[in-house]
Amino acid sequence: MSWGPGPTIGPETRVLALTGAGVSAESGVPTFRGAGGLWRTHRAMDLATPEAFERDPALVWAFYAERRVRAAACAPNPGHLALARLEERLGDRFLLATQNVDGLHRAAGSRRLVELHGQLFSTRCSSCDRPPFEDRSAPAAPPRCDRCGGLLRPHIVWFGEQLDPDHLARVEAFLKSGGSQLVFLAAGTSGAVYPAAGLVSVARRAGAQTWLVNAEPADNTHLFEHFVEGPSGEVLPALFAQALS
Ligand code: BV8
Ligand code: ZN
């Protein structure tokens, strides 16, 4: 399949990219709602909550330990790499907001990156304010904090938990400074989870051109001016081929 020209990337163009689990699908990381999605098998909507952790920390840790093992075996795909190269090309005129926690954007070289829903390979204490730390372990039982003895937890934003206000402020400030030179591109996301799914509306109000790249129509496809249906690992390099040439 060939996809038409993507957004025109001129000397003033600013791009905000928002990615979801679909961007990591071609790397082998399961999505949540698509075919084979995690939410289908693991009732993950129930597991990714503070209540579930309170009720059964061992079950929640088993869910995240399994995801760490799977994600650790995955590598960035051409979709991640295209976004990292676009950042190289645009510098501070580019920002990547991801809902993904798998670390593949960072592994691909992205640095102007806001991880809206946390990091799978980071752990923090649920009781004291020790800073989150990198943790690639897959604990068999819920680990304890060596400072206060409290339960450690994955550094993930669960359903019902607030996103880091600094993250949202950084994304919204970038969108509001964009004006007509702003391109908002969402890729690999079903547009089901807020506040991430609401960012396209912030972009439209700021005057942005809006693009969705997704394997199938998303819940909020109607909010996008352009919808390119296809696998992000093939579409993203094609859409930005001219800008990256
Ligand atoms: C909050 C970490 C406020 C966990 C995640 C009713 C209305 C509106 C909102 C709500 C509501 N009820 C509850 C809420 C709030 C809730 C929410 O939005 N719920 C939804 C389900 C309705 N949101 C929250 O709770 C957020 N916090 O709102 O706090 C608040 C206010 C007051 C007091 C307290 C709090 C927190 C949301 C964050 C939750 N954590 N992740 C974990 O990962 O384990 S969300 C989880 O879903 C992942 O982060 C994931 O990224 C995210 C979204 O899913 P997608 O990334 O879009 O992935 P999905 O599988 O859905 O879609 C993939 C798409 O890719 C598919 O369309 C597929 O077709 C496509 N695809 C597949 N392969 C490819 C592809 N596309 C391209 N190429 C391919 N190869
Ligand atoms: Zn502690």
Side-chain angles (χ1 to χ4, degrees):
M1 266 179 92
S2 72
W3 290 279
T8 307
I9 308 289
E12 304 294 316
T13 305
R14 299 164 65 81
V15 176
L16 185 107
L18 169 69
T19 59
V23 159
S24 293
E26 290 155 89
S27 297
V29 181
T31 62
F32 293 88
R33 295 168 187 82
L38 277 177
W39 298 140
R40 293 191 194 295
T41 50
H42 291 62
R43 294 186 342 280
M45 289 286 273
D46 312 333
L47 292 173
T49 65
E51 294 75 22
F53 186 70
E54 184 77 26
R55 189 174 54 245
D56 190 345
L59 178 63
V60 173
W61 262 110
F63 174 55
Y64 283 96
E66 180 204 353
R67 287 176 63 195
R68 280 185 176 170
V69 169
R70 282 185 79 159
C74 298
N77 66 58
H80 295 107
L81 296 167
L83 291 171
R85 289 181 50 220
L86 194 58
E87 171 184 326
E88 264 171 48
R89 183 57 57 89
L90 297 183
D92 64 6
R93 290 186 287 122
F94 179 86
L95 185 61
L96 171 55
T98 186
Q99 300 170 90
N100 299 341
V101 298
D102 56 33
L104 290 179
H105 282 304
R106 201 172 294 281
S110 292
R111 290 298 175 270
R112 289 179 57 78
L113 173 64
V114 180
E115 292 171 297
L116 296 171
H117 295 165
Q119 301 167 329
L120 182 59
F121 295 107
S122 290
T123 293
R124 71 170 193 253
C125 180
S126 59
S127 306
C128 76
D129 58 358
R130 70 185 285 177
F133 55 94
E134 183 173 356
D135 178 7
R136 306 189 74 81
S137 73
R144 292 262 167 199
C145 173
D146 55 13
R147 289 195 197 170
C148 75
L151 272 177
L152 296 179
R153 59 167 279 179
H155 183 46
I156 290 266
V157 180
W158 282 329
F159 286 99
E161 293 187 323
Q162 303 263 16
L163 276 64
D164 181 332
D166 294 345
H167 287 170
L168 288 172
R170 183 175 177 197
V171 169
E172 290 181 6
F174 186 91
L175 288 173
K176 289 184 176 131
S177 65
S180 61
Q181 296 299 326
L182 177 65
V183 171
F184 178 87
L185 171 99
T189 180
S190 62
V193 174
Y194 289 80
L199 290 174
V200 59
S201 303
V202 178
R204 286 165 62 101
R205 280 197 296 277
Q209 204 189 109
T210 50
W211 290 73
L212 173 65
V213 172
N214 211 54
E216 61 193 341
D219 293 11
N220 58 356
T221 306
H222 61 284
L223 293 177
F224 290 85
E225 289 155 297
H226 307 273
F227 170 49
V228 183
E229 191 159 10
S232 49
E234 292 170 34
V235 175
L236 291 176
L239 278 192
F240 294 114
Q242 194 194 355
L244 296 177
S245 60

